[in-house]
Amino acid sequence: MHITQGTFSFLPALSDEQITAQAKYCLEKGWSLNIEFTDDPHPRNTYWEMWGTPMFDLKDPAGLMYELAECRKVHAGRAYIRVSAFDATPGWESLRLSFITDRPAEEPGFMLERQERGGRMIAYTTRAYAADRPAGARY
Amino acid sequence: MDNVTATARKSRYDAGVMKYKEMGYFDLDYQPKETDILALFRITPQDGVDPEEAAAAVAGESSTATWTVVWTDRLTACEKYRAKCYRVDPVPGQEGQYFAAIAYDLDLFEPGSIVNLSASIIGNVFGFKPLKALRLEDMRLPVAYVKTFDGPATGIVVERERLDKFGRPLLGATVKPKLGLSGRNYGRVVYEALKGGLDFTKDDENINSQPFMHWRDRFLYCMEAVNRAQAMTGEVKGSYLNVSAATMEDMYERAEFAKELGSAIVMIDLVIGYTAIQSMAKWARRNDMILHLHRAGHSTYTRQKSHGVSFRVIAKWMRLAGVDHIHAGTVVGKLEGDPFTTRGYYDVCREMYNPMRLEHGIFFDQDWAGLRRMMPVASGGIHAGQMHQLLDLLGEDCVLQFGGGTIGHPMGIAAGATANRVALEAMVLARNEGRDILAEGPAILHAAARRCTPLAQALEVWKDVTFNYSSTDTPDFVPTLTPA
């Protein structure tokens, strides 16, 4: 299983050189970069853990790559890591790019639970197999 | 008009017939107020009819006038309520056609009602005998009026946040064949397409509740497919469930059922009418639902340049009315779409302020006053091999819908979806890296295809497919020409 959240999940894992190029693009647009990680891959898990605060004053993609390397030292192989770019322009004030840079070694995927109700209705619940274990011990 | 004999008269309110120009509907010195609604018409007067008189007649017939003088005007603040034609210009290169700019006082219109606005501006006046043809080209909606509308229920930003998808166009496909599939088979197409990599699938405009598939069946099977695909990919998915129906009661019933099933999005057709669209927009706002509008029927009045209503006006009305998605053309696909005119539509959907840009068909500055952005949808005859052109022409805040270009893939629907998604992501990656995607597009696609067999197959099957026909609806101004 390979979760396909994020802008570039259908491409081979991005190299550091490719991540740097995307970071450069975002900084040239005036967007702020941010690193997040999680061990809960549920598609509705909005709030991944922040690796520090968004880098509002960053000018050089090297700063992003340094923090990413630090984050990887702690979480690589045991969590998902993503880089996102925030645009503070009026009318946007939201993310403009968000892509996964690192994945756990194994991605066990999701169970789709169906609860039958009346009138052929089914209530669906998506449950990550990884979430069966406590946070911190999932991957 | 000229062929109507004006009665000999002593003063303005003597009974009888007089020229519209002399009745107060024509004033070249009039300075439009910031709160006026402005309309730009293309008029084609009958032979022998003075264009200024024809323009005044359009102002008159779309506001307070009738064919003869009525003394009851004097019971009103009639000067204020008369629309005023303040400018007439010949259309460049089109003999016998004129642009007439007309200003309407804001108090002529009910707040927040597209029906009321359209009943005046495109009401009786379009059948007026002294004109051969009439086209509403553009409108300027003042901030004071824009603020009386809710606008898109969700808008581009919140839609992206809700779907957790940023930085690339969204991908969709319309289920084909558009008619005849059973609910069970229909859901199969939805599942395969979403699992393969699309974000959305879509009901077609004429899928409602027919003998081969009743609406409840379709909704139930589609939501099974959506949820199954979400679990297979870990990604939020959706399917536009068409709730268009014969009555509002039916539409509400279908929309409520879609909501109960957990759908993120429902769709309606333009032919349900402006009132129904505004009702559904309010419903969508109350129920956190993305509202997709299929512009079924618009080409009957938007396509020919001499008569009807430009699609840019329909797009403006729909942004006020409050839909989140609107089909706005592909340029390169199978349906009408000049690149500059289409660019104008996309700007109307997505920008917070549209400056006048005659070469894109935008005749007025338009301030959207914080109204949310509407997501344009490109659909009809597009395929993965055009990805560089699509991204270049349409940008990233749009939905690219590959119906045939997904379902017609030789290795199946999921493979078709994967081909589109890989092509898209590879192109966005390359664009962000600073590469010239228009020049290098085919090379970028072929490089991506070396690691993705479905993309290689898609590029091979559709390599020569283009729709090169000349457009009927093109701008009248070219960028080098200084407007009169």
Side-chain angles (χ1 to χ4, degrees):
Chain A
M1 203 273 169
H2 176 91
I3 71 165
T4 53
Q5 298 170 24
T7 311
F8 303 122
S9 283
F10 272 73
L11 302 179
L14 301 190
S15 67
D16 281 3
E17 192 187 346
Q18 287 175 307
I19 297 169
T20 305
Q22 295 300 312
K24 181 165 171 282
Y25 169 78
C26 296
L27 293 173
E28 281 168 3
K29 293 270 185 188
W31 304 339
S32 308
L33 294 167
N34 186 28
I35 296 170
E36 294 163 293
F37 60 95
T38 192
D39 63 359
D40 175 4
H42 193 282
R44 302 283 183 193
N45 174 22
T46 305
Y47 303 114
W48 292 24
E49 301 306 318
M50 292 198 289
W51 180 261
T53 50
M55 301 172 216
F56 292 111
D57 301 314
L58 184 71
K59 298 279 180 284
D60 187 338
L64 184 270
M65 297 313 291
Y66 172 81
E67 289 297 336
L68 184 58
E70 292 297 301
C71 182
R72 281 170 165 167
K73 280 183 200 165
V74 182
H75 297 292
R78 302 197 297 121
Y80 293 89
I81 303 176
R82 72 182 175 196
V83 168
S84 49
F86 181 86
D87 179 3
T89 309
W92 286 108
E93 295 152 304
S94 184
L95 299 185
R96 299 299 290 271
L97 188 67
S98 175
F99 57 95
I100 290 174
T101 61
D102 295 82
R103 296 165 182 272
E106 291 278 329
E107 295 183 89
F110 300 88
M111 169 76 189
L112 182 65
E113 289 174 353
R114 294 179 183 81
Q115 186 193 356
E116 288 97 344
R117 293 155 57 196
R120 294 183 61 219
M121 295 269 292
I122 295 174
Y124 296 95
T125 302
T126 306
R127 193 168 52 78
Y129 291 113
D132 286 345
R133 290 189 293 278
R138 287 174 177 167
Y139 293 100
Chain B
M1 309 304 303
D2 290 9
N3 350 18
V4 177
T5 316
T7 328
R9 48 192 315 108
K10 292 198 200 82
S11 71
R12 169 66 178 83
Y13 289 102
D14 282 355
V17 174
M18 67 189 292
K19 292 190 173 192
Y20 287 89
K21 259 182 96 169
E22 289 157 15
M23 285 200 284
Y25 299 104
F26 192 84
D27 181 0
L28 295 180
D29 295 327
Y30 181 74
Q31 297 285 330
K33 298 195 293 286
E34 242 178 65
T35 55
D36 283 347
I37 288 181
L38 306 180
L40 190 103
F41 289 94
R42 176 196 301 264
I43 58 176
T44 312
Q46 296 279 10
D47 297 340
V49 173
D50 167 32
E52 291 192 354
E53 172 62 3
V58 170
E61 290 292 327
S62 61
S63 60
T64 59
T66 187
W67 59 279
T68 186
V69 170
V70 292
W71 64 267
T72 42
D73 267 350
R74 305 186 80 178
L75 302 174
T76 69
C78 52
E79 275 301 321
K80 168 187 162 98
Y81 296 132
R82 284 184 191 121
K84 289 151 195 89
C85 175
Y86 63 92
R87 184 166 173 173
V88 179
D89 300 294
V91 176
Q94 301 286 335
E95 206 179 330
Q97 295 187 4
Y98 300 85
F99 287 131
I102 296 174
Y104 301 81
D105 190 273
L106 191 52
D107 284 353
L108 288 166
F109 303 96
E110 176 172 346
S113 170
I114 299 294
V115 156
N116 180 252
L117 177 70
S118 58
S120 277
I121 307 283
I122 59 168
N124 282 353
V125 62
F126 273 68
F128 197 52
K129 277 183 178 171
L131 302 174
K132 276 187 197 156
L134 179 62
R135 189 183 203 223
L136 177 58
E137 289 286 345
D138 199 6
M139 292 191 78
R140 192 282 303 266
L141 307 153
V143 167
Y145 189 60
V146 171
K147 280 294 188 188
T148 66
F149 288 87
D150 288 337
T154 315
I156 290 178
V157 174
V158 176
E159 173 169 354
R160 286 191 174 283
E161 289 186 339
R162 222 178 266 173
L163 301 173
D164 190 34
K165 297 173 194 292
F166 303 97
R168 63 167 174 85
L170 303 177
L171 285 180
T174 308
V175 174
K176 304 284 176 183
K178 57 205 278 182
L179 297 169
L181 291 170
S182 70
R184 184 186 166 112
N185 291 330
Y186 197 92
R188 165 61 73 185
V189 178
V190 171
Y191 173 60
E192 298 291 332
L194 295 179
K195 181 186 69 171
L198 301 192
D199 304 301
F200 287 128
T201 48
K202 173 182 174 296
D203 289 347
D204 225 330
E205 75 281 10
N206 49 358
I207 275 284
N208 295 158
S209 194
Q210 282 107 321
F212 49 82
M213 177 171 60
H214 288 175
W215 67 273
R216 287 179 65 97
D217 259 343
R218 182 170 81 257
F219 286 19
L220 285 160
Y221 282 114
C222 282
M223 289 315 295
E224 168 71 17
V226 165
N227 283 287
R228 187 90 191 92
Q230 246 172 222
M232 290 298 283
T233 60
E235 198 183 352
V236 179
K237 304 284 183 182
S239 196
Y240 319 160
L241 300 172
N242 189 352
V243 301
S244 302
T247 66
M248 272 323 292
E249 292 73 23
D250 291 334
M251 288 207 288
Y252 284 136
E253 182 191 0
R254 295 176 193 191
E256 289 291 342
F257 190 58
K259 181 184 105 178
E260 210 179 332
L261 292 173
S263 183
I265 184 163
V266 295
M267 74 170 265
I268 50 175
D269 292 332
L270 184 60
V271 289
I272 67 174
Y274 301 139
T275 298
I277 290 170
Q278 279 195 264
S279 290
M280 286 309 301
K282 284 186 186 291
W283 181 91
R285 202 170 247 262
R286 280 199 302 278
N287 292 283
D288 301 314
M289 193 68 84
I290 301 168
L291 184 61
H292 177 97
L293 178 76
H294 186 115
R295 55 175 176 169
H298 83 97
S299 286
T300 54
Y301 48 86
T302 61
R303 192 174 183 194
Q304 297 302 326
K305 256 171 87 170
S306 61
H307 190 82
V309 181
S310 164
F311 184 72
R312 76 183 62 85
V313 174
I314 302 298
K316 286 184 175 182
W317 292 354
M318 291 303 104
R319 187 166 174 182
L320 295 177
V323 305
D324 293 310
H325 286 188
I326 186 166
H327 289 243
T330 62
V331 181
V332 297
K334 70 178 179 181
L335 303 177
E336 169 76 25
D338 166 79
F340 295 105
T341 306
T342 303
R343 178 64 198 275
Y345 305 157
Y346 274 64
D347 287 347
V348 163
C349 294
R350 298 189 297 202
E351 300 300 321
M352 300 311 282
Y353 183 88
N354 304 132
M356 180 179 87
R357 196 165 282 163
L358 298 178
E359 68 271 25
H360 294 172
I362 303 290
F363 288 87
F364 300 108
D365 296 342
Q366 175 65 52
D367 186 344
W368 287 101
L371 217 63
R372 284 174 166 174
R373 303 165 201 269
M374 190 164 61
M375 187 83 92
V377 177
S379 179
I382 56 176
H383 56 82
Q386 299 162 326
M387 199 59 82
H388 50 299
Q389 296 165 312
L390 291 166
L391 186 61
D392 178 71
L393 286 162
L394 310 179
E396 67 187 33
D397 286 302
C398 59
V399 185
L400 301 177
Q401 300 225 150
F402 301 87
T406 299
I407 298 159
H409 191 282
M411 296 308 290
I413 301 164
T418 303
N420 288 321
R421 181 79 175 263
V422 169
L424 177 69
E425 292 191 0
M427 203 56 66
V428 171
L429 188 85
R431 181 200 63 179
N432 295 0
E433 286 171 351
R435 294 175 67 182
D436 176 358
I437 57 168
L438 266 195
E440 299 178 52
I444 292 163
L445 290 173
H446 282 102
R450 278 199 288 277
R451 293 183 306 259
C452 175
T453 308
L455 178 55
Q457 291 163 326
L459 295 177
E460 180 57 28
V461 171
W462 292 304
K463 63 184 173 196
D464 297 323
V465 178
T466 53
F467 298 89
N468 289 326
Y469 300 95
S470 52
S471 294
T472 52
D473 188 10
T474 50
D476 295 281
F477 298 95
V478 291
T480 49
L481 192 79
T482 310

mmCIF file of all heavy atoms in Angstrom, chain B residues 56 81 109 112 133 202 258 276 279 315 387:
data_model
loop_
_atom_site.group_PDB
_atom_site.id
_atom_site.type_symbol
_atom_site.label_atom_id
_atom_site.label_comp_id
_atom_site.label_asym_id
_atom_site.label_seq_id
_atom_site.Cartn_x
_atom_site.Cartn_y
_atom_site.Cartn_z
ATOM 1 N N ALA B 56 -30.330 53.517 -27.284
ATOM 2 C CA ALA B 56 -31.230 54.141 -26.308
ATOM 3 C C ALA B 56 -32.445 53.251 -26.066
ATOM 4 O O ALA B 56 -32.935 53.121 -24.941
ATOM 5 C CB ALA B 56 -31.667 55.507 -26.808
ATOM 6 N N TYR B 81 -34.722 56.171 -12.452
ATOM 7 C CA TYR B 81 -34.987 54.782 -12.835
ATOM 8 C C TYR B 81 -34.712 54.508 -14.309
ATOM 9 O O TYR B 81 -34.720 53.369 -14.727
ATOM 10 C CB TYR B 81 -36.437 54.408 -12.498
ATOM 11 C CG TYR B 81 -36.723 54.435 -11.017
ATOM 12 C CD1 TYR B 81 -37.844 55.091 -10.511
ATOM 13 C CD2 TYR B 81 -35.862 53.809 -10.110
ATOM 14 C CE1 TYR B 81 -38.105 55.130 -9.151
ATOM 15 C CE2 TYR B 81 -36.110 53.850 -8.747
ATOM 16 C CZ TYR B 81 -37.238 54.511 -8.276
ATOM 17 O OH TYR B 81 -37.478 54.544 -6.932
ATOM 18 N N PHE B 109 -32.928 47.074 -8.883
ATOM 19 C CA PHE B 109 -32.761 45.630 -8.721
ATOM 20 C C PHE B 109 -32.999 45.168 -7.286
ATOM 21 O O PHE B 109 -32.611 45.849 -6.333
ATOM 22 C CB PHE B 109 -31.352 45.225 -9.153
ATOM 23 C CG PHE B 109 -31.049 45.638 -10.566
ATOM 24 C CD1 PHE B 109 -30.367 46.822 -10.819
ATOM 25 C CD2 PHE B 109 -31.494 44.875 -11.633
ATOM 26 C CE1 PHE B 109 -30.112 47.225 -12.119
ATOM 27 C CE2 PHE B 109 -31.238 45.274 -12.937
ATOM 28 C CZ PHE B 109 -30.546 46.457 -13.188
ATOM 29 N N GLY B 112 -29.564 40.499 -4.079
ATOM 30 C CA GLY B 112 -29.332 39.058 -4.002
ATOM 31 C C GLY B 112 -30.198 38.196 -4.894
ATOM 32 O O GLY B 112 -30.462 37.044 -4.562
ATOM 33 N N ALA B 133 -30.242 41.735 -33.963
ATOM 34 C CA ALA B 133 -29.630 40.852 -32.978
ATOM 35 C C ALA B 133 -29.113 41.681 -31.819
ATOM 36 O O ALA B 133 -28.853 42.883 -31.957
ATOM 37 C CB ALA B 133 -28.483 40.066 -33.609
ATOM 38 N N LYS B 202 -17.766 12.029 -11.927
ATOM 39 C CA LYS B 202 -18.873 12.953 -12.130
ATOM 40 C C LYS B 202 -20.014 12.289 -12.879
ATOM 41 O O LYS B 202 -19.794 11.584 -13.864
ATOM 42 C CB LYS B 202 -18.365 14.152 -12.942
ATOM 43 C CG LYS B 202 -19.431 15.119 -13.368
ATOM 44 C CD LYS B 202 -18.845 16.251 -14.209
ATOM 45 C CE LYS B 202 -19.946 17.128 -14.754
ATOM 46 N NZ LYS B 202 -20.833 16.412 -15.677
ATOM 47 N N ALA B 258 -27.717 12.445 -0.426
ATOM 48 C CA ALA B 258 -26.277 12.491 -0.701
ATOM 49 C C ALA B 258 -25.511 12.885 0.560
ATOM 50 O O ALA B 258 -24.462 12.321 0.878
ATOM 51 C CB ALA B 258 -25.984 13.483 -1.827
ATOM 52 N N ALA B 276 -33.506 28.006 -8.788
ATOM 53 C CA ALA B 276 -33.145 26.700 -8.238
ATOM 54 C C ALA B 276 -31.658 26.652 -7.907
ATOM 55 O O ALA B 276 -31.257 26.072 -6.898
ATOM 56 C CB ALA B 276 -33.508 25.603 -9.238
ATOM 57 N N SER B 279 -31.175 28.487 -4.693
ATOM 58 C CA SER B 279 -31.688 27.676 -3.581
ATOM 59 C C SER B 279 -30.700 26.577 -3.222
ATOM 60 O O SER B 279 -30.424 26.334 -2.044
ATOM 61 C CB SER B 279 -33.031 27.033 -3.953
ATOM 62 O OG SER B 279 -34.028 28.017 -4.018
ATOM 63 N N ALA B 315 -20.915 33.333 -16.084
ATOM 64 C CA ALA B 315 -19.946 32.986 -15.034
ATOM 65 C C ALA B 315 -20.034 33.981 -13.878
ATOM 66 O O ALA B 315 -19.997 33.606 -12.705
ATOM 67 C CB ALA B 315 -18.529 32.956 -15.614
ATOM 68 N N MET B 387 -1.207 17.495 -21.393
ATOM 69 C CA MET B 387 -1.085 17.996 -20.016
ATOM 70 C C MET B 387 -0.293 19.298 -19.931
ATOM 71 O O MET B 387 -0.648 20.199 -19.164
ATOM 72 C CB MET B 387 -0.439 16.919 -19.142
ATOM 73 C CG MET B 387 -0.674 17.132 -17.676
ATOM 74 S SD MET B 387 -2.428 17.154 -17.228
ATOM 75 C CE MET B 387 -2.791 15.410 -17.107
#
